[in-house]
Amino acid sequence: MKRAVEHTVNLALQGGGAHGAFTWGVLDALLEDGRLDFEGVTGTSAGAMTAAFMAHGWAEAKAHRRDPREGARAALRRFWEEIGVQPSIFSLQNALPGLGHHPAAGGSSVRWLDVVSRVWSPYQWNPLGFNPLRIVLEMCMASACLPFAFQAVEVDGEPYWDGGYTGNPALFPLFYATEACDLVLVQINPLRRDDVPNTAQEISDRVDEISFNASLLFEMRAIAFVQRLLEERRVEEGRYKRLRVHMIANEERLRALGAASKYDTSPAFLEQLFDIGRATAIDWFDQNATHIGKASSVRIAETFL
């Protein structure tokens, strides 16, 4: 049931391949609920694409005097459903049934692609620069350009790789370019794993997770430092924004799927992630609605330090 807007927040959407469909589910629930309005949105990789389509659907519906929230929800569904039907170099088992098992189980197709990427670059095994995302969108491709999968995307003559290496997602633009003091992070990549990776594939996957979380940890630590200075009145009030940080995540469910499942763009799997995201967002709102506009609902020091 849609309710009246109560608070305005900023959104930060992390990237994580097909797991970005989890973010789709989160946003669908928040848009349907109606209690939050959104001032600024940043995103990386799949998060950037999701943010772009949400904004596009919102603006298009508003221009035609339709409900912008429903327009955003529809645009997000169209995008992710289109991703599900496009051929993917990461889901070769869909086109070649005999090649391997399901990627979520670490099938041979994923291992085969990993071996190929270590021997040949995308400039060698993909000389024509095929990128399935180009069929769906022309913008945001640079932010989703995995260097072992796609040739670098050029923007104004400058080559770019996946934005996850430098900001996943970038939080800094939300500090000074917006008025909202509540920051809602949609987290995809697990911050911690209890098990020790012991195969080459597991080690590679964990290195990627650590790399893609490094910039987020750095920015969160900077936020915690500044907030402590504000609380201790060691910096001038008003010079820095007092931020209230919130996080929507389901590390247990996403961690259980395995890193290899980030390459699975089958419609059924994307819908499964969508459902997990919706349920997670609904539970999060039930537990944390009273914090928004008043205090952080995540302990930055304990979570990110």
Side-chain angles (χ1 to χ4, degrees):
M1 180 181 67
K2 189 176 298 184
R3 311 172 195 184
V5 174
E6 297 177 2
H7 301 285
T8 298
V9 303
N10 289 319
L11 289 172
L13 313 179
Q14 197 173 49
H19 288 190
F22 170 85
T23 301
W24 166 33
V26 168
L27 295 180
D28 188 81
L30 296 183
L31 288 163
E32 182 182 46
D33 182 277
R35 281 179 286 175
L36 295 184
D37 206 354
F38 312 109
E39 182 182 5
V41 185
T42 64
T44 298
S45 196
M49 290 181 263
T50 300
F53 273 85
M54 182 181 78
H56 171 72
W58 183 291
E60 185 179 49
K62 193 171 183 179
H64 291 84
R65 297 183 179 179
R66 299 195 301 266
D67 185 343
R69 294 177 180 275
E70 292 305 312
R73 294 179 69 198
L76 287 172
R77 174 159 289 280
R78 287 195 302 270
F79 168 66
W80 281 100
E81 286 182 346
E82 188 66 18
I83 289 295
V85 301
Q86 293 300 329
S88 170
I89 60 172
F90 298 120
S91 294
L92 291 182
Q93 74 284 351
N94 294 336
L96 303 172
L99 185 61
H101 303 291
H102 195 279
S108 60
S109 61
V110 174
R111 292 195 296 270
W112 178 82
L113 284 168
D114 182 65
V115 171
V116 168
S117 70
R118 305 296 172 178
V119 179
W120 295 289
S121 79
Y123 294 88
Q124 295 171 311
W125 61 262
N126 186 15
L128 298 180
F130 170 72
N131 188 327
L133 296 175
R134 187 173 285 112
I135 303 171
V136 184
L137 63 138
E138 292 296 331
M139 305 297 291
C140 300
M141 287 180 57
S143 188
C145 181
L146 293 169
F148 290 111
F150 305 117
Q151 297 180 16
V153 175
E154 289 194 6
V155 179
D156 296 331
E158 291 288 337
Y160 289 88
W161 277 348
D162 195 295
Y165 292 104
T166 56
N168 192 19
L171 305 181
F172 183 80
L174 302 175
F175 297 168
Y176 302 109
T178 66
E179 296 294 329
C181 293
D182 285 89
L183 170 64
V184 179
L185 167 68
V186 181
Q187 172 80 6
I188 290 179
N189 298 301
L191 293 171
R192 297 177 179 83
R193 286 188 182 273
D194 295 330
D195 56 320
V196 178
N198 53 30
T199 68
Q201 181 68 50
E202 290 173 348
I203 292 171
S204 177
D205 291 340
R206 187 54 184 153
V207 168
D208 285 343
E209 285 181 342
I210 293 172
S211 299
F212 280 10
N213 276 328
S215 57
L216 174 64
L217 293 173
F218 176 81
E219 289 198 89
M220 281 297 184
R221 288 166 182 168
I223 290 174
F225 177 69
V226 172
Q227 299 309 299
R228 187 171 72 249
L229 292 179
L230 286 169
E231 291 171 1
E232 297 173 356
R233 298 185 179 181
R234 296 171 62 186
V235 294
E236 182 181 350
E237 188 74 30
R239 183 178 179 184
Y240 297 99
K241 182 187 291 187
R242 284 188 177 272
L243 289 176
R244 296 179 287 269
V245 180
H246 315 278
M247 183 171 71
I248 303 177
N250 196 327
E251 286 210 7
E252 182 178 356
R253 293 292 301 275
L254 294 184
R255 188 189 299 118
L257 295 174
S261 66
K262 292 180 179 181
Y263 303 135
D264 182 5
T265 57
S266 62
F269 185 59
L270 296 181
E271 286 288 347
Q272 177 187 350
L273 287 162
F274 168 81
D275 291 339
I276 294 173
R278 271 190 59 89
T280 300
I282 292 171
D283 289 343
W284 173 83
F285 224 146
D286 288 344
Q287 297 174 20
N288 298 287
T290 56
H291 289 89
I292 302 174
K294 297 179 181 178
S296 294
S297 59
V298 60
R299 297 179 182 275
I300 301 177
E302 295 179 7
T303 304
F304 297 98
L305 302 186

